[in-house]
Amino acid sequence: MLNYHHLRYFWIVAHEGNLTRAARKHNIAQSALSMQISALEDYLGQPLFERVGRRLVLTEAGHIALDFADAIFAKGDELLGTFGRLAETRQKVLRVGALSTLSRNFQVRFLRPLLIDLNVKVIIRSGTLDDLLNSLRLYDLDVVLSDVAPPRDQDAPWIIHVIDTQPVGLIGHPRADRYQKPLDVLLRTEPLVVPSPESTVRAGFDALMHRLGIEPWIVAEADDMAMLRLMAREHSGLSVMPPIVVKDELDNGMLVEYANLPDLAESFCAITIARRFPNPLLDRVLTKPAAPD
């Protein structure tokens, strides 16, 4: 089996670039360092260093070994940090999964308390809900952000934290004649950009149209909030979406919200799973809802 003491001595020398300096800095005999590195090279069957003048330079195999060593010892630090054995000044890490179609504005709003803390590292991964939940189950993620709440069962006891509920609006470029039209007229006569049929917003929108007896003029649909935002900016019609998706455009007057769609809202949630040792950073983003500005 791999001897991790050998690997740590290699890791120390690789980052120092000098055997003598590494031995002095870490109070280790130079001969001991040299012997441990030689043992590791014998075990791996590859030279890890070559001498250039007074410096030790990593070989190609050495660079590969160092990448693995960095990851291994970073994981070790996280393990100790989980059990409270690292100094509070060490950088902490929160691993976040976000549904690939989710509003970027919501993600930033949710993570804002951590993004301004230089002692915290936030890692964000996008993907499908099934893939993200599987990563959450396997401890590769600490939390998953979604606008779809997964079903709960005995094998997957998800904890659903509703972070924000946004009304859904009818949004488009400013145009004087639109302000005079009631909602039902806008829905009947304006070309509409809407979310794809798989989304909860679209399901609610279709139900609303059925109740009002309206056959909407749908000219585009997308399952990605970032794409809906671009369409709203470029399209001459109206878009059906939560205002948070185009917050910047609404603030600067590029777009306006003509109406809220009655009884139609989208919930944004953070999904966690019960753990004996949860990431303490979660408390900083879950205890206070990410309310809109």
Side-chain angles (χ1 to χ4, degrees), residues 43-64:
Y43 181 82
L44 297 177
Q46 299 287 339
L48 301 177
F49 292 104
E50 59 182 358
R51 187 171 292 278
V52 178
R54 295 184 178 182
R55 295 184 66 248
L56 289 177
V57 178
L58 288 170
T59 62
E60 181 180 359
H63 281 287
I64 295 172

Side-chain angles (χ1 to χ4, degrees), residues 208-286:
L208 176 63
M209 295 300 96
H210 178 75
R211 291 198 305 272
L212 296 177
I214 293 174
E215 192 72 35
W217 178 16
I218 295 174
V219 295
E221 60 183 38
D223 62 359
D224 182 277
M225 286 296 176
M227 180 57 70
L228 283 174
R229 178 188 182 189
L230 291 176
M231 286 184 175
R233 290 166 57 102
E234 300 298 328
H235 200 273
S236 60
L238 297 177
S239 297
V240 175
M241 64 175 66
I244 191 176
V245 176
V246 287
K247 179 183 180 303
D248 293 342
E249 289 81 359
L250 292 173
D251 288 346
N252 65 29
M254 179 182 182
L255 298 174
V256 295
E257 183 178 4
Y258 288 97
N260 283 335
L261 297 179
D263 302 321
L264 192 54
E266 182 169 36
S267 294
F268 297 96
C269 58
I271 305 165
T272 60
I273 195 167
R275 289 181 180 168
R276 189 176 178 184
F277 302 102
N279 190 321
L281 292 174
L282 284 173
D283 287 340
R284 293 171 56 180
V285 289
L286 292 178

Side-chain angles (χ1 to χ4, degrees), residues 17 52-53 79 91 106 111 120 129 158 177 181 241 249 251:
V52 178
L79 173 63
Q91 188 182 48
F106 166 71
L111 295 170
V120 172
L129 187 59
W158 312 119
D177 62 307
K181 295 179 181 178
M241 64 175 66
E249 289 81 359
D251 288 346

Side-chain angles (χ1 to χ4, degrees), residues 2 4 6-12 14-15 40 62-76:
L2 178 64
Y4 286 91
H6 295 166
L7 187 64
R8 181 168 285 279
Y9 287 136
F10 156 74
W11 182 69
I12 289 170
H15 281 287
L40 180 63
H63 281 287
I64 295 172
L66 182 59
D67 286 342
F68 278 99
D70 283 340
I72 287 169
F73 294 126
K75 281 292 184 184

